[in-house]
Amino acid sequence: MEKEKHTHELDSLDFAILSYLQKDGRMSFTVIAKKLKVSIGTIRTRFNKLIEEGSINIIGRINPDKVGFGVYAHIAVYIRPITLNEKVAAIIAKKQEVSFLAMTSGDYDLEVDIMCRDNDHLVQFMNEIAHIEGIHQTKTTMYLKVYKYAQPDLKLLK
């Protein structure tokens, strides 16, 4: 579950390409090239390098409410003994409901965000993870309304 590291420093052109693709993942290389005043070949080459290095993945991001995920929840997971942290994380990461998973510092060990069809589906998920060796306790917070669901703005890195 270790993040892939990119092999070269991203420059301003890379960030500009990434910014346009964050706004519209279907934006054509032709349009991006015109906006950035470079050749289509340059965009294609840079794009392929960004894909190969794992700096970007092009996916279709769904709106959970529009497709039938009525329950979105945050689960704080407490693991004992802590030496099982990686094992528990690997098992949870394979669950289809999981949209975000991170090791944390502080009161709990893992932070998990999940999307479920309804409350029954959430209860089923909670019962499944309760049986994972090492999970000592969980604390679930349901999101009643999501006001923003987005990627970070790349301008924050400048």
Side-chain angles (χ1 to χ4, degrees):
M1 279 194 288
E2 204 170 299
K3 282 185 186 176
E4 250 185 69
K5 305 235 186 250
H6 59 270
T7 56
H8 81 282
E9 248 345 273
L10 300 180
D11 64 16
S12 61
L13 181 58
D14 293 322
F15 278 107
I17 293 166
L18 291 171
S19 293
Y20 281 118
L21 291 172
Q22 271 190 317
K23 291 176 190 149
D24 179 0
R26 299 181 324 147
M27 188 177 290
S28 74
F29 292 167
T30 304
V31 170
I32 296 171
K34 283 181 183 175
K35 289 179 179 281
L36 297 176
K37 297 178 173 65
V38 297
S39 73
I40 297 169
T42 298
I43 300 298
R44 184 178 296 107
T45 301
R46 293 292 187 107
F47 174 82
N48 289 335
K49 184 174 258 187
L50 292 166
I51 291 280
E52 287 170 21
E53 294 179 346
S55 295
I56 187 171
N57 289 324
I58 303 298
I59 60 168
R61 177 184 279 174
I62 61 159
N63 179 331
D65 292 331
K66 302 274 185 191
V67 299
F69 288 107
V71 175
Y72 191 39
H74 167 85
I75 306 166
V77 180
Y78 302 80
I79 299 170
R80 299 295 176 269
I82 196 64
T83 55
L84 293 175
N85 203 350
E86 292 293 328
K87 182 178 179 185
V88 171
I91 293 167
I92 291 174
K94 291 178 184 169
K95 302 274 184 203
Q96 294 178 320
E97 294 86 352
V98 176
S99 60
F100 178 82
L101 172 63
M103 181 188 304
T104 64
S105 63
D107 293 338
Y108 52 91
D109 304 301
L110 294 177
E111 181 174 311
V112 185
D113 285 352
I114 64 168
M115 294 182 204
C116 295
R117 293 180 302 279
D118 51 34
N119 286 343
D120 288 337
H121 186 192
L122 173 62
V123 170
Q124 176 188 345
F125 180 87
M126 295 305 300
N127 287 335
E128 285 176 20
I129 68 166
H131 296 293
I132 298 172
E133 179 190 4
I135 292 187
H136 174 69
Q137 178 183 351
T138 61
K139 184 186 222 178
T140 303
T141 303
M142 291 177 61
Y143 297 124
L144 300 176
K145 185 174 183 177
V146 177
Y147 293 100
K148 182 176 181 179
Y149 181 72
Q151 293 289 312
D153 189 333
L154 292 173
K155 292 177 192 156
L156 294 170
L157 297 173
K158 293 184 177 183

